């Protein structure tokens, strides 16, 4: 009887929506951690990155929905990386609702730091209109039009949406495209 009760308690806990939410949050957190480490390599693969300086630095935006403290930790980690192709990084954190108010010149790229849901479309449109490299570590965002992300299988690879790169006018080095997994829109 005790083992039956323990088994039932374990099944209830495993099936709990709360536990599922925690597992999903941990999964997303791992993808963000991997993505923030890959983002500089994707920026470095942009053939025109040198033209996207803002003064002496490359300005990148980390876009989020509601957890500024978490995103500030990501921003600091990105700042600690120093430079991309010898150009120092300037990292700004921006709530998604303020993205459209950002000055549009001299932004090298946009990193999606939290799931944006319906706001992903606005981010994609903004990046295409202003010829910006967009990067999201979240599953499904590359298929929704974000230019780059990560593909996780037996190894982690850059994942690029060729049509989104073309639409944004972002030219990626051929070597990088050869090693990346590509999403070709149907």
């Amino acid at each position: 009887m005790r083992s039956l009760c323990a088994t039932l308690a374990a099944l209830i806990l495993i099936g709990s929506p709360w536990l599922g939410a925690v597992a999903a949050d941990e999964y997303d957190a791992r993808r963000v951690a991997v993505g923030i480490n890959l983002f500089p390599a994707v920026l470095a693969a942009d053939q025109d990155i040198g033209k996207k300086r803002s003064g002496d630095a490359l300005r990148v935006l980390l876009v989020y929905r509601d957890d500024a403290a978490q995103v500030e930790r990501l921003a600091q980690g990105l700042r600690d990386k120093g430079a991309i192709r010898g150009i120092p990084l300037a990292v700004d954190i921006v709530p998604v609702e303020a993205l459209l108010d950002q000055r549009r010149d001299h932004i090298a790229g946009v990193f999606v730091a939290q799931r944006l849901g319906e706001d992903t479309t606005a981010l994609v449109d903004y990046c295409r209109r202003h010829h910006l490299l967009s990067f999201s570590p979240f599953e499904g965002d590359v298929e929704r039009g974000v230019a780059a992300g990560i593909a996780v299988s037996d190894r982690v690879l850059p994942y690029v949406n060729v049509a989104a790169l073309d639409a944004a006018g972002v030219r990626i080095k051929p070597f990088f495209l050869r090693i990346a997994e590509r999403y070709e829109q149907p």
Side-chain angles (χ1 to χ4, degrees), residues 135-157:
F135 186 101
S136 173
F138 301 108
E139 264 184 302
D141 281 358
V142 169
E143 293 83 356
R144 287 184 199 95
V146 172
I150 58 174
V152 179
S153 58
D154 57 333
R155 57 190 174 146
V156 176
L157 291 173

Side-chain angles (χ1 to χ4, degrees), residues 3-42:
S3 67
L4 178 60
C5 287
T7 302
L8 285 174
L11 287 174
I12 289 169
L13 186 59
I14 289 170
S16 165
W18 175 81
L19 185 61
V22 169
D25 288 345
E26 288 177 12
Y27 179 73
D28 281 355
R30 284 192 300 268
R31 288 186 71 94
V32 169
V34 169
I36 202 75
N37 286 318
L38 183 59
F39 183 51
V42 178

Side-chain angles (χ1 to χ4, degrees), residues 59-70:
R59 183 170 175 242
V60 295
L61 306 179
L62 271 58
V63 178
Y64 70 99
R65 178 173 293 289
D66 60 10
D67 191 350
Q70 173 204 355

Side-chain angles (χ1 to χ4, degrees), residues 32-106:
V32 169
V34 169
I36 202 75
N37 286 318
L38 183 59
F39 183 51
V42 178
L43 287 170
D46 182 344
Q47 294 182 46
D48 301 314
I49 197 72
K51 297 176 186 172
K52 297 178 180 178
R53 289 177 188 239
S54 177
D56 294 343
L58 289 176
R59 183 170 175 242
V60 295
L61 306 179
L62 271 58
V63 178
Y64 70 99
R65 178 173 293 289
D66 60 10
D67 191 350
Q70 173 204 355
V71 179
E72 183 53 48
R73 287 188 297 276
L74 287 173
Q76 190 55 51
L78 198 53
R79 288 179 193 114
D80 290 345
K81 293 192 182 308
I84 294 174
R85 289 216 246 150
I87 308 167
L89 284 173
V91 182
D92 296 333
I93 61 171
V94 178
V96 67
E97 65 271 5
L99 179 64
L100 300 179
D101 298 331
Q102 291 299 301
R103 58 187 168 105
R104 291 151 177 90
D105 57 333
H106 302 294

